[in-house]
Amino acid sequence: QPIESGETPIFIAAQNGHAEVVEELIKAGANIHKLSYGVTPLFMAAQNGHSHTVKLLLNAYVKNNAKFKINEIICDICTPLFVAAQNGHTEVIEELIKFGANIDKPSNNGDTPLFVAAQNGHAKVVDVLVKAGVKFDNSSSTSTPLFMAAQNGHTDVVKILLDLYVKLDANPKIDETIGEVCTPLFIAAQNGHIKTVKLLVEAGANINKTAFNGATPLFIALQNGHTEIQGILGR
């Protein structure tokens, strides 16, 4: 029975990570799929990083022959796994993967869990997704995980992705021009991310590949006052 604003007891309990309460409500036959604001208890638990609660709900999904709902797109936006990746909830991701969640299913704008985790610098999530066999070359309609990690200076994420490129013999993708604008190395140099620039150069990134306007990574770095990068690019 929901309150006037639409939330059910199991929804509120899942949202707040009260695993014992969720467990008792499941035993009593609570509807684990009932929507509140178009959102499920599983989605809320995943969003807020309540891994124990997520596990209880996933077991209930399996018991009720509703495993297919684990990959349900919520509010026409994204899946529970996507929102967990977005917020860096590694343990939740691991539980969802154990129950067969689709690690490559994109959100409504075309971004995948790997993309959003890389964008936000969640290295542990990226590592878990990579080890689970994520498709690194199908991560967004507009960019790549490597580019976004480089742009934001998430060095740990960049390293994991570069190691994956080597493993999959995909080194040429290091110099991939995104949106016909520039490469990961260029954007890292532009933003002054020294450690990221060094990692990319050591991985074989082309230091002379220009952006759409003809500028090199060294030129854009100096133009923005990042003189310390000259020692890496000015060879």
Side-chain angles (χ1 to χ4, degrees), residues 183-200:
T183 65
L185 177 60
F186 186 95
I187 197 69
Q190 178 177 298
N191 291 324
H193 300 312
I194 302 171
K195 291 181 179 179
T196 299
V197 168
K198 188 176 181 182
L199 273 177
L200 288 163

Side-chain angles (χ1 to χ4, degrees), residues 58 61-62 66-72 79 81 92-105 132:
L58 289 172
Y61 272 51
V62 172
K67 196 174 178 180
F68 65 96
K69 283 183 171 285
I70 292 171
N71 295 312
E72 190 175 12
T79 64
L81 189 142
V92 171
I93 297 285
E94 290 172 336
E95 289 298 337
L96 286 162
I97 290 173
K98 285 177 189 176
F99 282 83
N102 185 344
I103 58 176
D104 296 303
K105 191 162 185 176

Side-chain angles (χ1 to χ4, degrees), residues 73 76-78 82 103-116 119 135-145:
I73 295 282
D76 295 323
I77 298 176
C78 64
F82 183 96
I103 58 176
D104 296 303
K105 191 162 185 176
S107 64
N108 64 345
N109 65 357
D111 297 339
T112 64
L114 178 64
F115 179 89
V116 76
Q119 181 181 39
K135 296 177 182 176
F136 79 97
D137 59 346
N138 183 29
S139 296
S140 172
S141 58
T142 58
S143 187
T144 65

Side-chain angles (χ1 to χ4, degrees), residues 3 19 28 31 41 43 52 57 63 67-68 80 94 96 106 108 118 120-121 133 161 164 166 173-174 206 208 217:
I3 57 174
N31 185 346
F43 187 91
H52 189 186
L57 290 165
K63 187 177 180 180
K67 196 174 178 180
F68 65 96
E94 290 172 336
L96 286 162
N108 64 345
N120 288 293
L161 293 173
L164 177 64
V166 171
K173 283 187 170 287
I174 293 172
N206 185 349
N208 297 310

Side-chain angles (χ1 to χ4, degrees), residues 9 28 38 48 75 77 87 90 106-107 169 193 198:
N48 291 308
C75 293
I77 298 176
N87 289 293
T90 310
S107 64
D169 196 25
H193 300 312
K198 188 176 181 182

